[in-house]
Amino acid sequence: MNEKSSWVIDELLNSNYKYDSSIIPAKTSMYGMPQAPKSPYMISNSNLDKDNDNGKLIEFPLLVTKFLGKTIPAAGGFYLRTLPLKIIKNAIKSYERKEIPGSFYIHSWELTPELIPKIKLPTKNHFITFHKIEKTFSKMEKLLNEFEFTRFDSYISKIHN
């Protein structure tokens, strides 16, 4: 998500969503809001990158880490497939020490690469979409076996009790 797609926040609220996980507090060539908090905050369509007292949607920013001195996503997709597992585990451990939920995601198509039609894409998009796609399931499985994960609604209930 970025300023051009901020209208989505209002659509989520109109559809009775309570939380979102679309902000990446890092800058990439495709997306990212490097100034956004790493821990959950209240978001609005006019304030994507900072806590907003008038916000009605809880943003769970995606996991990031430092790599070669730069903050990069470590949450899923290309980064989950490409980064060494040790770097992702260290990012999760760093968030755990700070008591920040480390949100990550998996694209459904990454779990069944044998079923994905290999459509012709520009070279960069092909690389981002398919690089090490066969590693996704095993990496996700290792993370699920090593760390305790929960749902956003369970986390919200826990912090409000």
Side-chain angles (χ1 to χ4, degrees), residues 46-146:
S46 61
N47 283 303
L48 296 177
D49 62 352
K50 57 183 169 272
D51 195 40
N52 182 335
D53 291 338
N54 297 320
K56 294 181 175 38
L57 193 70
I58 301 172
E59 178 63 32
F60 285 89
L62 293 166
L63 179 71
V64 296
T65 191
K66 288 277 190 189
F67 186 71
L68 301 176
K70 184 177 178 184
T71 301
I72 62 167
F78 173 79
Y79 297 93
L80 174 66
R81 296 189 322 259
T82 306
L83 289 173
L85 194 56
K86 182 176 181 161
I87 290 174
I88 297 168
K89 287 180 179 183
N90 285 341
I92 294 170
K93 289 174 186 176
S94 170
Y95 272 51
E96 284 179 337
R97 284 190 299 275
K98 297 172 189 167
E99 298 183 359
I100 299 172
S103 303
F104 84 96
Y105 65 94
I106 302 288
H107 297 110
S108 58
W109 50 266
E110 291 174 305
L111 299 175
T112 55
E114 68 279 4
L115 302 177
I116 300 172
K118 299 292 189 222
I119 58 175
K120 182 135 177 80
L121 295 170
T123 303
K124 179 182 175 185
N125 292 346
H126 185 274
F127 182 75
I128 290 168
T129 303
F130 297 112
H131 183 65
K132 294 189 176 183
I133 195 166
E134 69 284 352
K135 303 280 186 190
T136 307
F137 190 88
S138 65
K139 280 186 159 181
M140 180 194 67
E141 189 172 47
K142 288 174 183 167
L143 292 173
L144 290 173
N145 286 329
E146 184 165 335

Side-chain angles (χ1 to χ4, degrees), residues 14-46:
N14 290 338
S15 297
N16 297 316
Y17 279 75
K18 304 291 182 213
Y19 48 85
D20 175 62
S21 191
S22 299
I23 298 295
I24 298 179
K27 185 67 182 145
T28 74
S29 64
M30 296 171 30
Y31 47 75
M33 307 202 84
Q35 64 281 14
K38 291 181 178 76
S39 56
Y41 63 99
M42 300 305 291
I43 193 172
S44 72
N45 69 353
S46 61

